[in-house]
Amino acid sequence: MRAADLHLLARNLREIALASTGNTGAEHVNAGELAVVEDVSRNPGATISDVTRRTGLAQSLVSRITHRMADAGVMRVRPDEKDRRKSRLEIEPSARAMFRARADGSIASALAAHAPKLSAAQRKQLTHHLAEAERLLRQGQE
């Protein structure tokens, strides 16, 4: 596989993921917001600096996103108990439940819409291979 093909695959997979989770339309979460939410979901209690380091986003952008999300009731920003200059981030329980419900959904209909020329058997095979690729990549990072 060429690097350019990997970029195209990543873009296609992101489109399928966004459609699968219902992250489309006027109220969609943009890529930066999604990166912050995903990071804080995986790392509750993270600081803005932690999220900045892991996502590669600018600290000012992470700060704006977290405060916007806090104003919207999606994220909780609380002062660090040991260092009041730092803020600790958590996803609000109600938002976490909504994100989990979206994340646990099937990719079947989004995959069918994105690749309508594939047969049901081919989509099933592709779904299996995607799951296996995800498992292997996760295993390679642990």
Side-chain angles (χ1 to χ4, degrees), residues 16-80:
I16 293 166
L18 292 173
S20 295
T21 58
N23 190 17
T24 59
E27 295 188 14
H28 78 283
V29 176
N30 70 39
E33 294 166 336
L34 189 57
V36 171
V37 168
E38 287 174 344
D39 188 81
V40 174
S41 291
R42 287 186 180 100
N43 303 285
T47 65
I48 289 173
S49 295
D50 296 335
V51 176
T52 297
R53 186 178 62 259
R54 285 189 294 263
T55 63
L57 298 172
Q59 185 163 346
S60 59
L61 177 60
V62 172
S63 181
R64 278 194 312 273
I65 289 170
T66 57
H67 287 92
R68 229 181 10 246
M69 295 274 184
D71 291 344
V74 172
M75 194 171 292
R76 184 180 306 151
V77 179
R78 60 179 172 76
D80 183 278

